[in-house]
Amino acid sequence: MVEHVLIVALMIELATPEVPQLIGLDWGTSSLRAFLIGHEGTILGERNGSDGIMAVDPETKDLRGDFSRIAQVAIGTWLTAHGPLPILACGMIGSAQGIAEAGYIDLPADLSAVGQQLTAIGLDIGELHIVPGLQKTATETTAPDVIRGEETQLLGLLDPERTDPTTVILPGTHTKWVGCQGQRVTDFSTSMSGELFGLLSTSSILSRLAEPTDDFHPDAFDWGLSVGADDPAAVTSSIFSARTWALEGRLHPEEINDYLSGLLIGAEVTSHLSTTADSSATVIVCGTADLTMRYTHALHRQGRKTVDANPRAAATGLLRIAKQSGLVPTKENSHA
Amino acid sequence: MVEHVLIVALMIELATPEVPQLIGLDWGTSSLRAFLIGHEGTILGERNGSDGIMAVDPETKDLRGDFSRIAQVAIGTWLTAHGPLPILACGMIGSAQGIAEAGYIDLPADLSAVGQQLTAIGLDIGELHIVPGLQKTATETTAPDVIRGEETQLLGLLDPERTDPTTVILPGTHTKWVGCQGQRVTDFSTSMSGELFGLLSTSSILSRLAEPTDDFHPDAFDWGLSVGADDPAAVTSSIFSARTWALEGRLHPEEINDYLSGLLIGAEVTSHLSTTADSSATVIVCGTADLTMRYTHALHRQGRKTVDANPRAAATGLLRIAKQSGLVPTKENSHA
């Protein structure tokens, strides 16, 4: 299986290369990103593969061996070239479906202490340290929820010097909305608007009139944003307007999906911002370029300021956690 | 094609049979219900078939002939037995995809005048009279919408003696919410919560944990209702709780779909009732027994009173329209 995995290798050559300090793995359900990281956080090498945890048969008799062979393909040449390096992983690799259950930290969670709760697993290639996830405990009125991998991105995104409230949006199929105070995560929730968009744009009555296209239609998206923001509670009704406006000829077939995307994001953003305690909180959006543009646009329309996210937040977060845990010496220690 | 159509025939024998006055057809997209109706509205015969307008190939060279042959199978024996009778149809048969475009009446629409705007088409079996639909014209802020067939159900549902405001819910894949004042339709809108439930319960991440069952789970449905009603604007997020509660073991696999159904209906009902001008308006729900139970339960939870719907509203509506138009004499005329 390992032999067939797609590996995309990207080596960044530097004039005066930093010495590698850490191998960081962002090991999710369907992908594995590996980073060779220098002391200052410079990414000296990066490999992206599709060998997430689903690449290992859950019925395997050699779980550790299978995961170890995948890691060997991804990072073996770095280990050979640079000698033993600490290896730190975040994401679903630390779930019950991964190599070992790495536990959760309850909310409110201090991200500066995540490094104190790593789980270590011995593999043929060396010891694999795994970051815990975060969990929101159920109450009578709020559902439980967990994240795994996002805690590391968050730590990489948040400026350690700042102590003010921040809202972080990690858009995707299941978009995460996270409330932070400095480096403390106080709340998070999951929105399914990405998955809903996928279902509606491919399998619903709305998809019959739509003509999918890679072009972005800003006017249609903007129109949808305003309809969704206007009455977010009516979203299960207002999405039908994608059909009736199209039948009326006011929405063209290639505009329908952007109208629908705008409507769902407009309703989601309005609903979430209305429950955010501090409306002056900085909002950080961290996702693909396309989704980041859509959410940023929706936020600006509501008068909210956004801050660009660190595009390699996971790598930065992994280095910060490695320093917290002592896997990598902090600047003070290394100078001592 | 006509030979293979499923026909379910139900003849109601009466001790002192009324004389048939009208053949009414509720001719929709995927089904055809035919009624043999007496002067007092008694249904003397009923036939349900799956030969809706989609049973005719849109490329046919003999549109009228094809529809005429379907009608012949459905009602030919009634015509033979009782001699020529007026034939009145409502539904998608009057759309551009049907036998002829029967037009629309603009809102606000006086249902007592629908009979003045029938469209007549000559068929081999006799003249087919078709009921117009209703249309809501687009404004700058509200989307256009149309209904066809529901106007006839509404006329059959609404008590002609009452002049107070009524909200009518016609639940289904695309649930219609209709606002009426006496027999005037003042507004309507379409909710896609039925289609969303279908997509989410079969094709989303929520469906992976669910075990579909025909049993109804009132506690799970009720729980969903309360979550949906509590914050309808958050519905695209709160549906994810069907997954997290299930992972927590608090929702059993066979309860997930009823929780989800409750959540979507709870959010829909709360959102719609909040925009209904008159909160004391009577609410009538007219749908399948299962959906009617679900919506009625959601309405009672919000302190709203409901009135049971006439289960054969379409037949009653067709007779009322036939009397408006003079196709069937009114009591006064027949006694004259």
Side-chain angles (χ1 to χ4, degrees):
Chain A
M1 179 195 308
V2 167
E3 291 73 22
H4 300 290
V5 161
L6 172 71
I7 299 283
V8 180
L10 166 69
M11 295 296 295
I12 300 172
E13 299 293 333
L14 295 170
T16 51
E18 281 182 46
V19 178
Q21 296 280 332
L22 174 72
I23 291 175
L25 304 176
D26 181 3
W27 205 334
T29 303
S30 55
S31 68
L32 166 59
R33 294 178 77 186
F35 303 99
L36 183 66
I37 308 171
H39 184 274
E40 298 294 333
T42 306
I43 293 170
L44 306 170
E46 180 175 347
R47 290 178 173 175
N48 296 322
S50 60
D51 35 5
I53 63 165
M54 287 194 307
V56 169
D57 179 354
E59 303 296 317
T60 179
K61 289 186 180 141
D62 184 17
L63 197 71
R64 288 194 187 193
D66 286 356
F67 279 117
S68 194
R69 281 182 284 277
I70 290 176
Q72 169 68 32
V73 171
I75 65 173
T77 55
W78 293 341
L79 290 170
T80 306
H82 305 291
L85 285 171
I87 309 170
L88 180 63
C90 67
M92 290 299 282
I93 189 71
S95 70
Q97 294 81 46
I99 196 169
E101 168 66 66
Y104 294 103
I105 301 177
D106 285 325
L107 294 195
D110 182 358
L111 294 177
S112 68
V114 167
Q116 314 310 317
Q117 298 196 34
L118 304 186
T119 297
I121 300 285
L123 298 183
D124 293 343
I125 55 161
E127 202 161 36
L128 178 71
H129 300 270
I130 310 177
V131 177
L134 305 187
Q135 76 182 350
K136 186 164 99 169
T137 313
T139 68
E140 271 309 302
T141 54
T142 60
D145 206 347
V146 296
I147 53 181
R148 208 176 260 294
E150 286 90 351
E151 74 296 323
T152 304
Q153 282 182 280
L154 289 167
L155 191 59
L157 284 169
L158 295 167
D159 181 344
E161 305 300 317
R162 293 184 68 159
T163 55
D164 55 331
T166 310
T167 298
V168 183
I169 307 174
L170 303 160
T173 305
H174 298 152
T175 294
K176 303 293 176 185
W177 284 74
V178 188
C180 304
Q181 179 84 40
Q183 291 198 310
R184 279 166 72 86
V185 175
T186 53
D187 193 18
F188 62 84
S189 67
T190 304
S191 165
M192 287 184 64
S193 57
E195 183 165 2
L196 281 176
F197 173 76
L199 290 168
L200 289 168
S201 63
T202 58
S203 309
S204 80
I205 193 170
L206 306 181
S207 65
R208 295 193 208 162
L209 298 171
E211 194 176 286
T213 153
D214 287 336
D215 297 332
F216 178 62
H217 301 87
D219 291 347
F221 179 74
D222 229 44
W223 186 8
L225 275 184
S226 101
V227 172
D230 187 48
D231 187 1
V235 68
T236 62
S237 293
S238 54
I239 49 176
F240 194 69
S241 66
R243 176 171 171 80
T244 56
W245 282 124
L247 289 173
E248 185 99 349
R250 285 276 301 274
L251 260 188
H252 298 138
E254 66 277 14
E255 294 174 326
I256 292 175
N257 283 349
D258 280 327
Y259 175 83
L260 182 60
S261 160
L263 203 161
L264 289 168
I265 291 174
E268 177 191 357
V269 165
T270 304
S271 162
H272 273 89
L273 291 185
S274 73
T275 60
T276 305
D278 186 345
S279 66
S280 67
T282 303
V283 182
I284 301 177
V285 185
C286 179
T288 62
D290 177 63
L291 280 176
T292 299
M293 176 275 288
R294 290 172 193 257
Y295 277 83
T296 301
H297 193 64
L299 290 158
H300 290 173
R301 242 184 139 272
Q302 307 261 332
R304 296 300 290 261
K305 287 185 184 143
T306 60
V307 172
D308 281 351
N310 173 351
R312 286 198 179 77
T316 305
L318 284 163
L319 180 63
R320 287 182 179 165
I321 293 169
K323 289 184 176 178
Q324 290 170 11
S325 70
L327 281 177
V328 167
T330 59
K331 199 170 276 184
E332 294 72 30
N333 293 341
S334 64
H335 281 267
Chain B
M1 179 196 309
V2 167
E3 291 75 20
H4 300 289
V5 161
L6 172 71
I7 300 282
V8 180
L10 166 69
M11 295 297 295
I12 301 172
E13 298 296 331
L14 295 171
T16 52
E18 281 180 46
V19 177
Q21 295 280 332
L22 175 72
I23 291 174
L25 304 175
D26 180 3
W27 205 334
T29 302
S30 55
S31 68
L32 168 58
R33 295 178 76 187
F35 302 99
L36 182 67
I37 308 170
H39 184 275
E40 298 294 335
T42 306
I43 294 170
L44 306 170
E46 181 175 347
R47 289 178 176 177
N48 297 323
S50 60
D51 36 4
I53 63 165
M54 288 195 305
V56 169
D57 180 354
E59 303 297 317
T60 178
K61 288 185 180 140
D62 184 16
L63 197 71
R64 287 195 189 192
D66 286 355
F67 279 117
S68 194
R69 280 182 283 278
I70 290 177
Q72 169 68 35
V73 171
I75 64 174
T77 56
W78 292 341
L79 290 170
T80 307
H82 305 290
L85 285 170
I87 309 170
L88 180 62
C90 67
M92 290 299 281
I93 189 70
S95 71
Q97 293 80 46
I99 196 168
E101 168 66 67
Y104 294 103
I105 301 177
D106 285 324
L107 295 194
D110 182 358
L111 294 177
S112 68
V114 167
Q116 314 310 316
Q117 298 196 35
L118 304 185
T119 297
I121 299 285
L123 298 183
D124 294 343
I125 55 159
E127 201 160 37
L128 179 72
H129 301 270
I130 310 176
V131 176
L134 305 187
Q135 76 181 348
K136 185 163 100 169
T137 313
T139 68
E140 270 309 303
T141 54
T142 58
D145 206 345
V146 295
I147 53 181
R148 206 176 262 294
E150 287 90 351
E151 72 297 323
T152 304
Q153 283 181 280
L154 289 166
L155 191 59
L157 284 169
L158 295 166
D159 181 344
E161 306 300 317
R162 293 185 68 158
T163 56
D164 55 329
T166 310
T167 297
V168 183
I169 307 173
L170 303 160
T173 306
H174 298 151
T175 294
K176 303 292 176 184
W177 284 74
V178 188
C180 304
Q181 180 83 40
Q183 291 197 309
R184 280 165 72 86
V185 175
T186 53
D187 194 18
F188 62 86
S189 67
T190 304
S191 165
M192 286 184 65
S193 57
E195 184 165 1
L196 281 176
F197 173 76
L199 291 168
L200 289 168
S201 63
T202 57
S203 309
S204 80
I205 192 170
L206 307 182
S207 65
R208 294 192 208 163
L209 299 172
E211 194 176 285
T213 154
D214 287 336
D215 297 332
F216 178 62
H217 301 86
D219 290 348
F221 179 74
D222 229 45
W223 186 9
L225 275 184
S226 101
V227 173
D230 187 49
D231 188 0
V235 68
T236 63
S237 293
S238 54
I239 50 176
F240 193 69
S241 65
R243 176 172 172 79
T244 55
W245 282 124
L247 289 173
E248 185 99 350
R250 286 276 301 274
L251 259 187
H252 298 138
E254 66 277 14
E255 294 175 325
I256 292 175
N257 283 349
D258 280 328
Y259 175 83
L260 182 60
S261 161
L263 204 161
L264 290 167
I265 291 174
E268 178 191 357
V269 165
T270 304
S271 162
H272 273 88
L273 291 185
S274 73
T275 61
T276 305
D278 186 346
S279 66
S280 67
T282 303
V283 183
I284 301 176
V285 185
C286 180
T288 62
D290 176 64
L291 281 176
T292 299
M293 175 275 287
R294 288 171 194 258
Y295 277 83
T296 301
H297 193 64
L299 290 158
H300 290 174
R301 243 183 137 272
Q302 307 260 330
R304 296 300 290 262
K305 288 185 184 142
T306 59
V307 171
D308 281 350
N310 173 350
R312 285 199 180 76
T316 305
L318 285 163
L319 180 63
R320 287 181 178 165
I321 294 170
K323 289 184 176 178
Q324 290 170 9
S325 70
L327 281 176
V328 167
T330 58
K331 201 171 276 186
E332 295 71 30
N333 292 341
S334 64
H335 282 269

